[in-house]
Amino acid sequence: AYAGRPYRAPVGATETALAAIWAEALGIERVGRDDNFFALGGHSLLAMQVIQSMRRQGLAAEVADLFAAEDLAALAQAVGRGEAETAVPANAIPADAARIEPWMLGLV
């Protein structure tokens, strides 16, 4: 079904960035906005690579978003819709601590 669709170029910066990431990961020349990552030959290991590449470019998404996205355009809409990066508090455990106290555990 995907092979019979006409190519539609990515629209906007997010779709263009995603298309470049997919093309590199899949080793193909171009990716259109109606293309499905898995129909193009993607698999779970490549999905992890794609998510890491997206994060390096500041595109926030989870692996589940890639699996759920019908096509590149749908993933572009999902990018950044979720929560922003989790803020991790600074380490409050002093280097010379003899024991860990509850106040030192900022993530709890």
Side-chain angles (χ1 to χ4, degrees):
Y2 284 94
R5 289 185 179 185
Y7 173 77
R8 290 193 324 145
V11 174
T14 302
E15 285 187 20
T16 301
L18 288 174
I21 291 168
W22 286 18
E24 182 179 341
L26 296 166
I28 58 178
E29 187 175 323
R30 70 178 187 182
V31 175
R33 69 185 322 245
D34 298 317
D35 289 333
N36 177 282
F37 178 75
F38 299 101
L40 293 174
H43 51 76
S44 58
L45 294 176
L46 283 178
M48 296 301 296
Q49 179 183 340
V50 164
I51 294 298
Q52 286 304 103
S53 295
M54 289 172 59
R55 288 181 181 158
R56 280 192 293 274
Q57 292 192 28
L59 302 172
E62 299 299 324
V63 176
D65 296 325
L66 181 56
F67 277 91
E70 180 178 317
D71 53 31
L72 182 110
L75 180 61
Q77 289 180 347
V79 167
R81 248 197 333 216
E83 293 183 26
E85 290 286 325
T86 303
V88 178
N91 183 2
I93 303 172
D96 62 343
R99 58 186 238 187
I100 297 176
E101 299 287 337
W103 65 268
M104 298 176 184
L105 303 175
L107 289 177
V108 174

